[in-house]
Amino acid sequence: HNLIFRTLFIADKNNNQFGTENDSSFSYWKYVFFKSIMGIITQFEPTKFIIAMDSKNIWRKDYYKEYKAQRKSARDNSKIDFEKFFPILDVFYSDIVKLTSNVMHLKVDRCEGDDIIAVVTRVFKDSKIDIISTDRDLNQTLKNKNVRQYDPVKRTFVNSLNPIIDLQ
């Protein structure tokens, strides 16, 4: 899910037609997204590939109503039309799931992608796991010796002296 928004903002920055009538289907974003996925596959050559998606209704909002509330105002102030984007994202992602039978897609009701990834690192504790994300919440998974996190923006693996302290 982190990749969706990173590539959305990259596409917005790099294409002045993005999201307008000339690109109302967000085709340039789709291109940037797929190019990023292919780059990950080329670079890491995974034997298994899992895409973890956020659910719409996150459990944390039951405990903290303001969780990620600032994102709505940022979206409202953005030139990206999120009212158009989200339905396109839903259809696009549904199409990706149908077309990529060799990729595992995980989306769990009321969970975020980083919650799913944290569970995957516990379930597959005997497998080497590379997480590709800029999400610092995932630093906590580095307590597991089989897990590495790669930051594709900095193009380096994330280091943490104490993943538990990072979480706090």
Side-chain angles (χ1 to χ4, degrees):
H1 210 88
N2 175 273
L3 181 63
I4 289 169
F5 288 97
R6 266 192 307 104
T7 54
L8 181 66
F9 294 118
I10 289 169
D12 178 47
K13 180 180 171 186
N14 293 341
N15 184 355
N16 63 4
Q17 300 295 309
F18 179 71
T20 67
E21 303 83 44
N22 294 332
D23 189 13
S24 61
S25 67
F26 293 85
S27 58
Y28 184 67
W29 163 73
K30 292 173 187 176
Y31 164 76
V32 173
F33 179 80
F34 267 123
K35 184 176 178 189
S36 295
I37 292 284
M38 293 311 297
I40 291 167
I41 291 169
T42 300
Q43 181 175 354
F44 290 92
E45 299 178 338
T47 56
K48 292 185 179 93
F49 195 87
I50 301 172
I51 296 178
M53 291 288 292
D54 289 358
S55 175
K56 291 186 190 306
N57 299 314
I58 306 303
W59 65 269
R60 286 176 180 86
K61 290 182 182 179
D62 293 344
Y63 298 94
Y64 182 56
K65 298 287 182 207
E66 297 301 311
Y67 182 69
K68 295 189 178 181
Q70 73 282 4
R71 291 191 178 178
K72 182 175 178 358
S73 65
R75 287 182 185 143
D76 291 344
N77 294 327
S78 172
K79 71 177 189 169
I80 298 170
D81 187 341
F82 285 96
E83 296 294 320
K84 287 182 184 176
F85 175 73
F86 286 122
I88 288 170
L89 169 60
D90 290 342
V91 171
F92 179 65
Y93 184 68
S94 177
D95 290 344
I96 289 173
V97 171
K98 291 176 199 168
L99 294 171
T100 55
S101 59
N102 58 338
V103 173
M104 184 182 296
H105 298 271
L106 298 177
K107 186 174 184 178
V108 178
D109 190 37
R110 302 182 46 74
C111 291
E112 291 181 293
D114 57 348
D115 298 325
I116 296 166
I117 292 167
V119 171
V120 165
T121 64
R122 290 185 202 138
V123 171
F124 294 103
K125 59 185 169 207
D126 295 328
S127 300
K128 179 185 160 203
I129 298 173
D130 288 331
I131 299 169
I132 316 302
S133 179
T134 60
D135 189 339
R136 290 183 304 228
D137 289 346
L138 291 166
N139 290 11
Q140 64 186 296
T141 64
L142 299 176
K143 68 184 177 191
N144 304 310
K145 299 295 179 206
N146 64 318
V147 175
R148 299 186 306 174
Q149 181 181 354
Y150 184 78
D151 183 325
V153 173
K154 295 178 181 174
R155 296 182 180 170
T156 186
F157 283 95
V158 174
N159 289 312
S160 174
L161 295 175
N162 192 333
I164 303 303
I165 297 293
D166 286 349
L167 173 62
Q168 295 171 351

